[in-house]
Amino acid sequence: MKTILGKKIGMTQIFEETGAVVPVTVIEAGPVVVTQVKTAETDGYDGVQIGFVDQKPQRVNKPMTGHFAKAGVTPKKYVAEFRNDEGETYEVGQEITAADFEEGKKLDITGISKGKGTQGPIKRYGQHRGPMGHGSKHKRLAGGLAAATYPSRVFPGNKESGRMGRDTVTIQNVKLVKVIADRNLILVKGAVPGGKGSILRIRYAVKGQDK
C-alpha cells in the first residue's frame, strides 16, 4: 500500500474546468526515503520504514544514528512504517515523492486533531444547556449524574467535562485533486485533521477506490 508522510500547509480553493469552486488542503508530501525494509523471514512481517524531513545529527540519539548510517541516509526527524502489499518491492534509500501518486485517486489521511484543552460537555459532546430565564441557576452546568441513594455514585463513562481534541483521526476516501510534482505538493478535496504544520500520513484508500 503506497504511503507517504506530509506536512499540512493550509487551505485554499481552486476552480474546475466547469467553473465550480473546490475547497482544497495543500500538503507538502515528501519526499520520503526508505530507511528499512522488513521481511517475514527476519522480522515476522513484510513492511517498509520511511523517514521524512532531515534532522541535525546532534539531535539524533546513538541507536537511531547507527540505524540511519546502516541505511546510508541522512538522519530524519519523522519515521513511520507501513505494510507493503503483495508484489510491491522497495529498496533501502529509495525515494517516494508526490509524483508517485495519481490525480483522481482516493486517499486515507491520518493526522492529530487540534487540541481544544479542557472543555465542558456542551462543547465536547453537544449537550443542551439549561433554562436561560431569570432566576435560573442551571445554565451551562451539568445535570444530575448520580443514581439517587443507591448506588449513590457516578457511573464510569458519563459524558462530562475533560480534555478535548488532540486525537488521532483518519478520514477516508479523500479525493486527490491535483499533484504539483516539482514542488512536492498535493491538493486534496476538503479539510484534513490537524493544524498548519502538522504531520500527516497519506496512503491510497483501502476501500472505495475507483477502479
Side-chain angles (χ1 to χ4, degrees), residues 7 19-20 60 80 84 89 101 105 145 195 207:
K7 181 186 294 185
V60 181
N84 56 327
T89 57
F101 288 78
K105 289 289 188 178
L145 299 176
K207 298 180 180 179

Side-chain angles (χ1 to χ4, degrees), residues 136-184:
S136 172
K137 297 181 180 179
H138 181 84
K139 297 182 178 179
R140 294 183 69 93
L141 299 176
L145 299 176
T149 304
Y150 178 82
S152 67
R153 65 186 179 89
V154 178
F155 289 110
N158 276 3
K159 293 182 178 179
E160 302 179 23
S161 60
R163 181 188 64 83
M164 180 181 178
R166 196 154 179 80
D167 297 317
T168 300
V169 179
T170 299
I171 55 173
Q172 298 177 309
N173 298 321
V174 182
K175 183 179 179 181
L176 176 53
V177 178
K178 189 174 183 179
V179 176
I180 307 176
D182 57 334
R183 298 175 61 187
N184 293 314

Side-chain angles (χ1 to χ4, degrees), residues 2 25 33 38 44 49 51 69 72 106 114 122 124 133 135 139 143 151 158:
K2 190 170 292 182
T25 300
V33 62
K38 298 191 174 183
Q49 185 187 91
K106 299 292 182 66
K114 292 182 179 179
I122 292 179
R124 195 179 184 199
K139 297 182 178 179
N158 276 3

Side-chain angles (χ1 to χ4, degrees), residues 52-57 60 64-65 68 73-77:
F52 178 51
V53 181
D54 288 339
Q55 179 65 288
K56 294 180 179 179
V60 181
M64 291 305 295
T65 298
F68 291 128
V73 300
T74 57
K76 301 298 178 182
K77 188 174 183 178

